[in-house]
RNA sequence: GGCCCAUUAGCUCAACUGGCAGAGCAGCUGACUCUUAAUCAGCGUGUUCCGAGUUCGAGUCUCGGAUGGGUCACCA
């Protein structure tokens, strides 16, 4: 461990303190109030004309420091806010004031007691009578100074290097208050989702993350191994197949909020582990799920932001109204001039795309070609909340076909801000059809071993006991957070996003 | 994985065509009893991401590598 010069100076201060019998890391701290409470207490006393100002003991981290000959000011901060300490030689004596000036640095935790007052400039402050170190910071926080403009703390020359911010998230959070706000919004979002679903009779459950057979999505899994059982296990890529087993078990409205893992590329909207909400709703179909989705996001936005509108990448997005609904066939016809219903085979659709001047990848299935067109021509333009519905069957092996049109399934995806946010369908509950689809998928993915959809016999057995008709729904919570907090990278809304390991 | 860009002091950034690596903040020393990006005087603290090469001389040019960002590919 190599210390920098700045760190060496602080280490010397620790030695000096210890030599003087002054513990830089005492075991206990006993603040009587948060900084916000202390400020409010003073303001109430002041309003009542109370002559004796409140006495308090406060704890926090030093964020600014201004020391004069016989007087020093500093701001301390806790999670409730910030407050100024005034340290005067009159109250403390010369020895104590010098001890403060010599030993305390930005970033240190301090406990201080005294009386709440207003300074001559009118700032509510603690007239400090006693203080001691709670925890000495050896490494200086990577921010220089801050100021308060209209009640907002503005840090000057703060930490901005994304790599350091993500790898040392603790430093990022300590120094950038707006980053802390993202994660408060994140907690508020999951709380609001739970409130919403709980109040509609949904039961929150937990299903296995370690699975002997993965499924529910087309993605490459992470593989791990159970030593004693001598068994390979997969980290789940979705919750779907377990949650739907619960419908068979008469838990007819269930949801889970948890982590999914996909062994694929990382990008501004993909992290190898991400948080997903899925719910399954017996006796509902994809149309009812659409309505509930609108309602749910309206509620979440209102709870988290206090309004239904959010700004994302400079564009205003409104969750207040009904979502635009675009039928997949019509949407693609309008965008590309291709009517997918007129091109029923892989080769026919590929040719139609070439005729329109598009450059489809060769030998793709019809469903994959359609999916590619959605990504290129529709998704980027769906800024306002939009449902795209009625998908091709071959890319939707767990969705139920439309009555009278077996090539199309009752599925929708929700897009907001040009990103896919959620995916839902009328769930396939016919065990014979499901078995046929698994076999079909197995064949389709023969060449790509890793993405192949394994046959899940236990899931089929469950379904044979009888699964109620139901609507299912999945949504990426991280992407929702990006929308609500106006962040263009998924890494901004994940506390510890995955980065490549670095040799030290 | 391909391509493009970036990496310089603790943080944020400079350094024209190759010519002694330097600012602000913080830090150190001193002054200062109401400051608040405190002020004033003084002090530059460095493996210029790493490794080779070209050159009298490389932060700068060439090659290889690392990490990050962007983009494309991938991604139901």
């Amino acid at each position: 461990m190599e210390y920098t010069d700045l760190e060496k100076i602080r280490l010397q201060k620790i030695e000096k303190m210890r030599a003087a019998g002054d513990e830089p890391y005492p075991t206990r701290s006993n603040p009587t109030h948060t900084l916000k409470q202390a400020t409010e207490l003073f303001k109430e006393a002041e309003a009542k004309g109370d002559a004796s100002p409140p006495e308090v003991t406060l704890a926090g981290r030093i964020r600014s420091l201004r020391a004069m000959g016989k007087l020093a000011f500093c701001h301390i901060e806790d999670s409730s806010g910030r407050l100024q300490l005034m340290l005067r030689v009159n109250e403390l004596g010369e020895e104590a004031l010098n001890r403060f000036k010599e030993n305390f640095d930005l970033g240190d935790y301090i406990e201080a007691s005294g009386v709440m007052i207003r300074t001559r400039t009118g700032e509510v402050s603690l007239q400090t009578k006693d203080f001691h170190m709670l925890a000495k910071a050896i490494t200086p926080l990577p921010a220089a100074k801050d100021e308060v403009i209209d009640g907002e703390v503005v840090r000057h020359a703060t930490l901005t290097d994304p790599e350091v911010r993500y790898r040392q998230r603790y430093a990022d959070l300590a120094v950038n208050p707006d980053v802390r706000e993202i994660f408060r919004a994140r907690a508020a979002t999951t709380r609001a989702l739970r409130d919403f679903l709980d109040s509609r009779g949904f039961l929150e459950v937990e299903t296995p993350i370690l699975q002997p057979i993965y499924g529910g999505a087309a993605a490459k899994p992470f593989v791990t191994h159970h030593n004693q059982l001598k068994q390979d296990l997969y980290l789940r890529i979705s919750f779907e197949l377990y949650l739907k087993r619960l419908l068979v078990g008469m838990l007819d409205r269930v949801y889970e909020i948890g982590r999914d893992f996909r062994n694929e590329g990382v990008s501004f909207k993909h992290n190898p582990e991400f948080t997903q909400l899925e719910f399954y709703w017996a006796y509902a179909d994809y149309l009812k799920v659409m309505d509930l989705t609108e309602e749910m996001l309206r509620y979440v936005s209102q709870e988290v932001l206090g309004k239904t509108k959010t700004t994302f990448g400079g564009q205003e997005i409104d969750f207040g109204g009904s979502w635009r609904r675009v039928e997949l066939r019509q949407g693609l016809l309008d965008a590309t001039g291709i009517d997918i219903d007129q091109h029923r085979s892989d080769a026919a659709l590929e040719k139609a795309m070439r005729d329109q001047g598009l450059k489809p990848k060769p030998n793709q299935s019809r469903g994959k070609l359609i999916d590619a067109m959605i990504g290129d021509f529709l998704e980027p333009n769906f800024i306002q909340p939009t449902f795209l519905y009625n998908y091709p069957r071959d890319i939707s092996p767990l969705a139920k076909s439309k009555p009278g049109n077996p090539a199309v399934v009752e599925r929708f995806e929700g897009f907001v801000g040009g990103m896919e946010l959620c995916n839902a369908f009328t769930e396939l509950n016919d065990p014979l059809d499901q078995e046929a689809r698994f076999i079909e998928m197995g064949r389709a993915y023969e060449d790509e071993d890793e993405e192949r959809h394994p046959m899940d016999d236990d899931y089929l057995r469950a379904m044979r006991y009888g699964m109620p008709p139901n609507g299912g729904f999945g949504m990426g919570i991280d992407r929702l957070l990006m929308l609500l907090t106006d962040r263009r990278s998924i890494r901004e809304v994940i506390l510890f996003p995955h980065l490549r390991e670095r040799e030290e």
Side-chain angles (χ1 to χ4, degrees):
Chain A
M1 175 66 225
E2 272 295 309
Y3 288 107
T4 65
D5 290 347
L6 296 184
E7 288 169 332
K8 284 175 190 158
I9 289 164
R10 292 185 178 208
L11 287 167
Q12 283 164 15
K13 291 180 182 182
I14 286 177
E15 280 175 33
K16 203 175 87 187
M17 287 179 70
R18 289 218 160 108
D22 204 359
E23 175 51 48
Y25 300 99
T27 306
R28 284 173 235 297
S29 171
N30 295 297
T32 57
H33 299 78
T34 67
L35 301 184
K36 192 176 173 197
Q37 285 168 344
T39 306
E40 281 166 4
L41 191 69
F42 174 78
K43 285 182 176 166
E44 282 165 29
E46 193 182 46
K48 281 190 284 186
D50 211 327
S52 58
E55 295 212 17
V56 295
T57 298
L58 305 175
R61 190 170 218 177
I62 298 175
R63 300 313 316 225
S64 71
L65 209 46
R66 294 173 296 284
M68 278 142 273
K70 293 179 168 145
L71 171 73
F73 292 95
C74 69
H75 277 102
I76 64 172
E77 182 176 291
D78 69 9
S79 65
S80 77
R82 55 174 16 221
L83 186 98
Q84 181 170 261
L85 304 185
M86 175 157 74
L87 298 101
R88 291 210 307 167
V89 74
N90 308 36
E91 277 75 24
L92 292 164
E94 210 161 303
E95 185 276 325
L97 184 63
N98 283 338
R99 191 155 47 83
F100 177 79
K101 290 202 284 186
E102 283 168 21
N103 296 339
F104 285 71
D105 290 299
L106 296 180
D108 293 350
Y109 287 88
I110 185 175
E111 184 170 282
S113 41
V115 292
M116 299 296 296
I117 51 137
R118 250 181 218 283
T119 60
R120 228 171 268 169
T121 51
E123 179 163 347
V124 176
S125 306
L126 182 76
Q127 176 72 270
T128 305
K129 292 179 172 168
D130 194 18
F131 66 88
H132 63 269
M133 185 77 74
L134 286 180
K136 179 76 190 161
I138 293 170
T139 306
L141 287 172
K145 289 187 178 181
D146 54 25
E147 77 181 303
V148 178
I149 300 170
D150 301 329
E152 292 283 303
V153 176
V154 179
R155 300 253 202 271
H156 294 273
T158 191
L159 179 68
T160 56
D161 180 342
E163 184 171 356
V164 180
R165 287 187 49 232
Y166 300 145
R167 286 190 197 277
Q168 302 186 36
R169 187 64 107 171
Y170 34 88
D172 184 32
L173 287 161
V175 136
N176 291 319
D178 53 320
V179 175
R180 303 205 284 259
E181 286 313 308
I182 293 172
F183 296 99
R184 293 210 170 87
R186 187 169 178 125
T189 299
T190 48
R191 196 184 315 125
L193 289 167
R194 287 190 165 98
D195 287 347
F196 181 87
L197 290 166
D198 290 346
S199 72
R200 278 156 187 79
F202 283 84
L203 181 72
E204 181 171 11
V205 298
E206 294 178 275
T207 61
I209 292 174
L210 292 175
Q211 303 181 347
I213 298 174
Y214 60 93
K220 293 170 192 156
F222 287 93
V223 189
T224 185
H225 186 76
H226 191 294
N227 291 339
Q228 210 198 355
L229 298 179
K230 295 187 172 56
Q231 177 187 18
D232 280 339
L233 292 166
Y234 302 96
L235 300 187
R236 67 181 171 192
I237 57 172
S238 87
F239 324 154
E240 173 149 5
L241 299 181
Y242 279 95
L243 290 177
K244 284 197 289 194
R245 282 170 168 93
L246 299 178
L247 299 185
V248 173
M250 301 290 285
L251 298 175
D252 59 16
R253 293 182 189 192
V254 293
Y255 74 96
E256 180 165 4
I257 293 175
R259 212 67 65 85
D260 267 343
F261 306 84
R262 296 190 183 174
N263 204 342
E264 285 164 358
V266 295
S267 77
F268 74 97
K269 51 180 177 176
H270 298 271
N271 196 59
E273 54 180 299
F274 61 99
T275 301
Q276 180 93 346
L277 161 70
E278 290 189 25
F279 70 70
Y280 294 85
W281 181 11
Y283 316 115
D285 59 18
Y286 78 146
L287 294 173
K288 289 182 187 171
V289 173
M290 278 189 209
D291 293 342
L292 196 70
T293 303
E294 290 178 349
E295 218 184 311
M296 182 165 71
L297 288 176
R298 193 179 307 134
Y299 177 80
V300 168
S301 175
Q302 187 67 44
E303 288 296 304
V304 175
L305 304 175
K307 57 187 181 179
T308 61
K309 288 179 180 164
T310 180
T311 305
F312 182 68
Q315 312 204 58
E316 186 173 81
I317 288 165
D318 190 0
F319 288 112
S322 314
W323 293 28
R324 191 175 153 211
R325 299 189 182 196
V326 177
E327 217 236 328
L328 176 54
R329 175 195 171 197
Q330 190 63 47
L332 284 179
L333 182 58
D334 294 344
T336 66
I338 297 169
D339 182 352
I340 55 174
D341 276 7
Q342 300 300 314
H343 309 284
R344 300 275 184 165
S345 72
D346 303 348
L349 184 58
E350 188 182 326
K351 179 175 184 303
M353 288 171 72
R354 288 196 198 288
D355 290 347
Q356 283 294 315
L358 307 184
K359 290 174 185 140
K361 287 210 295 187
N363 303 317
Q364 293 274 295
S365 75
R366 181 170 175 276
K368 289 226 165 193
L369 292 171
I370 290 171
D371 203 45
M373 284 195 284
I374 294 171
D376 290 344
F377 299 104
L378 298 179
E379 180 168 357
N381 300 319
F382 291 153
I383 304 299
Q384 289 305 315
T386 302
F387 292 127
L388 185 68
Y389 65 98
N390 290 355
Y391 275 63
R393 173 188 144 119
D394 78 273
I395 52 170
S396 316
L398 301 163
K400 204 162 185 171
S401 294
K402 274 202 95 57
N405 189 354
V408 173
V409 295
E410 294 201 345
R411 170 181 175 192
F412 73 81
E413 290 189 304
F415 296 87
V416 185
M419 271 192 309
E420 180 191 337
L421 179 65
C422 55
N423 180 21
F425 23 94
T426 304
E427 301 290 337
L428 179 55
N429 66 337
D430 172 346
L432 304 177
D433 190 357
Q434 185 66 74
E435 185 169 6
R437 304 271 199 108
F438 275 148
I439 292 166
E440 243 174 69
M441 289 308 284
R443 221 177 284 132
Y445 284 98
E446 244 164 27
D447 306 332
E448 310 161 50
D449 220 31
E450 285 178 304
E451 268 195 48
R452 178 208 200 101
H453 224 86
M455 170 76 73
D456 190 336
D457 286 319
D458 180 71
Y459 177 65
L460 291 172
R461 174 168 59 196
M463 200 181 277
R464 284 194 294 267
Y465 277 110
M467 180 185 289
N470 70 94
F473 172 90
M475 175 169 71
I477 303 293
D478 312 281
R479 290 195 187 167
L480 176 59
L481 254 296
M482 290 168 68
L483 293 167
L484 294 177
T485 61
D486 193 16
R487 304 290 147 154
R488 265 155 300 172
S489 167
I490 198 168
R491 290 189 265 269
E492 289 289 342
V493 303
I494 293 174
L495 276 169
F496 298 99
H498 183 76
L499 297 183
R500 195 182 297 268
E501 192 175 13
R502 187 154 213 188
E503 339 153 10
E504 293 288 334

